[in-house]
Amino acid sequence: DAKTTQPPSMDCAEGRAANLPCNHSTISGNEYVYWYRQIHSQGPQYIIHGLKNNETNEMASLIITEDRKSSTLILPHATLRDTAVYYCIVSGNTDKLIFGTGTRLQVFP
Amino acid sequence: DSGVTQTPKHLITATGQRVTLRCSPRSGDLSVYWYQQSLDQGLQFLIHYYNGEERAKGNILERFSAQQFPDLHSELNLSSLELGDSALYFCASSVDRGNYGYTFGSGTRLTVV
């Protein structure tokens, strides 16, 4: 699976959009980009995934660059409850998803 | 409630002992995954079962074993416990092999004293 690079931490004001970047320059053609988050020792929560097209669901939007070497997870209106560690995972084999260290997002009032 | 049930929620045991952690997947899910999360290691993949068969294995210690039963629930057995085995153990499930995301349970917190 391709390696991902995420900033260790980010801040965001409540009500603003949170844009979480992820670099995956060695991604291969059959690998998907997955995003999960973990709120303080709770079980990780699936957010969204995509291959090459931008994706949107009720939680977030995923923007993947045309060359697929990077992506951005967008939380359109961050709330305090969105404070969590966000994991970007690139994988072509979902038999085992390997979590990295993620980005710790702090949403402040 | 994610629909993935893990029991017990908390477990305190002594070194050298053996424990069994249980996971019931969401209704209809055929895959079960186990992860270990300790403070210094992050989330570590242990093992994946699909419809009773082992599909993938991570860096699972030989002292640890798992199985998935015909009713699809899974058990993770940890033996000869050491202090370093203290961690959160998460189970996740998915309807197939996880292409559309895993659903995690709330975890079992194991403390070895």
Side-chain angles (χ1 to χ4, degrees):
Chain A
D1 294 338
K3 179 177 166 51
T4 62
T5 302
Q6 299 179 253
S9 64
M10 294 182 65
D11 290 337
C12 178
E14 191 175 21
R16 304 298 295 269
N19 298 293
L20 293 95
C22 180
N23 285 322
H24 31 80
S25 58
T26 60
I27 192 169
S28 61
N30 67 339
E31 290 182 317
Y32 284 75
V33 180
Y34 293 86
W35 283 85
Y36 285 76
R37 72 180 182 184
Q38 186 175 25
I39 299 171
H40 186 60
S41 297
Q42 296 180 19
Q45 179 186 23
Y46 165 81
I47 301 173
I48 200 167
H49 78 282
L51 182 63
K52 54 183 179 180
N53 297 322
N54 297 338
E55 302 287 346
T56 295
N57 62 20
E58 65 279 3
M59 288 184 67
S61 294
L62 174 60
I63 309 298
I64 302 174
T65 58
E66 194 168 341
D67 64 7
R68 302 209 321 126
K69 293 185 176 182
S70 66
S71 59
T72 301
L73 179 74
I74 301 172
L75 308 178
H77 305 286
T79 72
L80 298 178
R81 288 191 299 271
D82 292 321
T83 293
V85 178
Y86 287 77
Y87 298 96
C88 169
I89 304 167
V90 169
S91 180
N93 174 13
T94 53
D95 281 333
K96 55 175 183 176
L97 287 183
I98 305 302
F99 287 75
T101 54
T103 296
R104 185 173 297 276
L105 175 69
Q106 179 69 53
V107 180
F108 58 90
Chain B
D1 181 10
S2 68
V4 178
T5 304
Q6 290 190 246
T7 57
K9 292 193 185 307
H10 301 275
L11 194 51
I12 301 176
T13 189
T15 55
Q17 294 297 306
R18 181 180 191 274
V19 297
T20 297
L21 312 184
R22 182 187 169 102
C23 170
S24 294
R26 284 186 322 172
S27 177
D29 284 0
L30 299 179
S31 276
V32 170
Y33 312 80
W34 286 98
Y35 284 80
Q36 177 194 54
Q37 186 172 37
S38 53
L39 279 175
D40 58 346
Q41 292 287 327
L43 272 161
Q44 299 292 313
F45 169 75
L46 295 178
I47 199 161
H48 166 208
Y49 279 87
Y50 175 78
N51 203 20
E53 294 187 4
E54 183 184 304
R55 296 294 305 198
K57 192 179 256 191
N59 294 326
I60 187 168
L61 299 172
E62 285 192 11
R63 300 183 286 110
F64 295 1
S65 65
Q67 60 183 125
Q68 186 180 28
F69 294 86
D71 67 353
L72 301 177
H73 91 272
S74 178
E75 293 181 356
L76 179 67
N77 299 298
L78 315 176
S79 61
S80 302
L81 285 167
E82 303 174 358
L83 296 177
D85 297 325
S86 295
L88 270 167
Y89 290 84
F90 290 107
C91 165
S93 72
S94 67
V95 66
D96 50 8
R97 288 168 60 183
N99 300 51
Y100 296 95
Y102 299 178
T103 301
F104 281 79
S106 57
T108 292
R109 183 174 293 278
L110 173 67
T111 302
V112 182
V113 297

